[in-house]
């Protein structure tokens, strides 16, 4: 028998998954924080405000994080996730 070296690519994949999970959590926090303040917002405006906050590194009043690149697809994915979980809802007759 021979001891094989630990496979490094598995560690890299775990790190990437962890980074994506953190990014998703930050985006979900931003979305809910913005919607709590606004109560209702058109999806286009919501996407713009979240991407703008990501670029500026702002989570909310007095809270900051490292800015990172997020795309509208990332934000829309998180919005759909929050809709499916029941944290946000669409207005009747106005699905946008």
């Amino acid at each position: 028998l021979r001891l094989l070296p630990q496979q490094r690519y598995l560690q890299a994949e775990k790190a990437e998954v962890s980074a994506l999970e953190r990014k998703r959590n930050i985006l979900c926090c931003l979305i809910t924080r913005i919607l709590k303040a606004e109560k209702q917002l058109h999806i286009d405006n919501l996407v713009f405000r979240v991407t703008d906050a990501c670029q500026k590194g702002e989570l909310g009043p007095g809270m900051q994080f490292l800015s990172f690149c997020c795309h509208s697809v990332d934000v829309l994915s998180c919005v759909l996730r929050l809709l499916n979980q029941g944290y946000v809802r669409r207005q009747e007759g106005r699905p946008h």
Side-chain angles (χ1 to χ4, degrees), residues 4-37:
L4 296 174
Q6 189 175 14
Q7 296 176 349
R8 294 186 188 276
Y9 69 89
L10 292 177
Q11 291 174 341
E13 287 179 3
K14 288 179 186 177
E16 289 175 14
V17 168
S18 177
L20 287 173
E21 201 170 295
R22 281 192 308 270
K23 181 178 179 179
R24 184 186 68 200
N25 290 340
I26 290 171
L27 289 175
C28 287
C29 287
L30 279 170
I31 291 167
T32 55
R33 182 174 292 271
I34 290 169
L35 286 176
K36 279 183 180 180

Side-chain angles (χ1 to χ4, degrees), residues 34-35 38-49 76 79 91 94-96:
I34 290 169
L35 286 176
E38 295 292 327
K39 302 297 182 206
Q40 56 182 332
L41 200 58
H42 190 279
I43 189 110
D44 293 339
N45 292 336
L46 178 61
V47 170
F48 172 76
R49 293 196 50 194
L76 290 171
V79 169
Q91 265 186 313
R94 298 178 73 191
H96 52 277

Side-chain angles (χ1 to χ4, degrees), residues 47-58:
V47 170
F48 172 76
R49 293 196 50 194
V50 171
T51 53
D52 187 49
C54 287
Q55 290 172 353
K56 292 179 180 177
E58 298 172 346

